[in-house]
Amino acid sequence: MLGPLLVSSDKRMDALLARATERGAIGMAIVHPTSALAISAADEAFRAGLIEPVLVGPTKRIDTAADEAGVDLNGWMCVDVEHSHEAAEQACAMVADGKVQALMKGSLHTDELLRAVLANPKVRSDRRLSHVFVFDDPAYHKLFLVTDGAVNIAPTLDHKADIVRNAVDLFAKLVCEDRPAKVAALAAVETVSPDMPATVEAAALAKMADRGQLGSCIVDGPLAFDNAISAEAAKQKEIVSAVAGDPDILMVPNLEAGNILAKQLTFLGDAESCGIVLGARVPIALTSRADGERARLLSCALAVLAGDPGRRE
């Protein structure tokens, strides 16, 4: 059976969503959901059978947001706290106690939520936190991952190793075939230059992958974007690569590059996307105010597939 990364372009995200729905709902703490958009996203994922939402935040503001969204919260679990930082701490405590299996960012700053994750030893892990987008672009033959365009600003080589490991682990959970992930370590050029640290780090990651240090993957780099995504472009530059033209994961050199690439794919490339933060004990759906309901729903589906079924009560 082909995984959702490989079916036809008009069904790839739908296949991912269907697989998540088949898994059954997970407990998800919605952290400080004080906007109509946050409540609507939780409601849609709830009605889709993806999550059992737990709303953590100031109850009066949550009720106001629910009224604005036209969502009836009767029967929903709510945990009343006064401030957003308290909401983040309480949600992480629920993760530590096994009461929820995922987190979703509501109406608070990303760094506030992630600080609470890192502060709780039962929620953080030995891995560095990193964000992974999953993209469905009609111009490409399968779903692909982009990392990290949302959390790590200027990652070091050690950081990039964890960024790759997180993405490779997610890839393994999304596909239904036993094969290594193909990772393109992106840079501005495809040659190693001491004057461009991203190229040196990309080459180092490729060697680390060769020696089994990054999980089940093949890493090639440095590769410029065109050489990574197009086999013809790689051929024109006489690049011999097992990754060029067929990457599963694009690892960007820094946050600016990843953020620009992701937004370009979305707003100019007609690509559909969703994303989560990995590296903690549970997945974290980290949506943007610019995301539509579909992207938020798919991010919840991604959290379901990325999570550990053994954590469910």
Side-chain angles (χ1 to χ4, degrees), residues 26-273:
I26 63 172
M28 176 178 279
I30 319 299
V31 186
H32 200 66
T34 56
S35 69
L37 187 60
I39 295 293
S40 295
D43 181 58
E44 185 171 6
F46 170 64
R47 289 186 288 106
L50 293 171
I51 68 170
E52 294 290 344
V54 179
L55 306 180
V56 186
T59 302
K60 289 184 179 180
R61 294 182 63 189
I62 290 173
D63 288 342
T64 299
D67 289 342
E68 184 181 343
V71 174
D72 182 3
L73 298 182
N74 184 38
W76 287 38
M77 181 176 177
C78 295
V79 178
D80 185 29
V81 298
E82 189 173 356
H83 301 295
S84 57
H85 65 267
E86 188 180 356
E89 291 169 0
Q90 183 60 42
C92 288
M94 296 183 73
V95 170
D97 292 339
K99 294 179 180 178
V100 295
Q101 293 77 50
L103 299 172
M104 176 188 275
K105 174 191 167 187
S107 308
L108 77 170
H109 291 296
T110 297
D111 58 353
E112 189 173 13
L113 174 56
L114 298 188
R115 274 200 303 268
V117 170
L118 293 173
N120 192 316
K122 293 185 178 180
V123 181
R124 68 173 185 263
S125 75
D126 293 336
R127 290 272 184 91
R128 187 170 183 83
L129 298 180
S130 62
H131 184 272
V132 182
F133 283 110
V134 176
F135 275 100
D136 183 8
D137 191 307
Y140 195 61
H141 58 280
K142 58 183 175 180
L143 294 186
F144 62 95
L145 282 55
V146 174
T147 189
D148 175 353
V151 173
N152 291 280
I153 297 173
T156 66
L157 177 59
D158 281 346
H159 299 162
K160 288 179 178 181
D162 267 355
I163 289 169
V164 172
R165 292 182 186 109
N166 288 340
V168 167
D169 286 351
L170 177 61
F171 172 82
K173 293 179 178 181
L174 295 184
V175 298
C176 297
E177 54 181 16
D178 184 15
R179 68 174 178 85
K182 296 181 179 181
V183 183
L186 298 182
V189 295
E190 64 280 353
T191 54
V192 177
S193 169
D195 293 329
M196 302 178 72
T199 66
V200 178
E201 291 165 357
L205 290 167
K207 180 52 67 176
M208 291 171 73
D210 288 346
R211 295 183 174 176
Q213 295 175 245
L214 303 179
S216 179
C217 63
I218 302 168
V219 177
D220 196 6
L223 289 172
F225 180 81
D226 56 343
N227 303 322
I229 212 75
S230 167
E232 182 60 30
K235 182 179 178 181
Q236 290 295 327
K237 291 197 173 183
E238 300 182 345
I239 297 171
V240 178
S241 170
V243 173
D246 192 40
D248 302 297
I249 300 168
L250 300 177
M251 196 216 72
V252 298
N254 54 45
L255 185 144
E256 284 95 341
N259 188 274
I260 292 169
L261 174 59
K263 290 178 179 177
Q264 181 180 7
L265 289 167
T266 301
F267 289 95
L268 291 179
D270 199 26
E272 188 172 34
S273 70

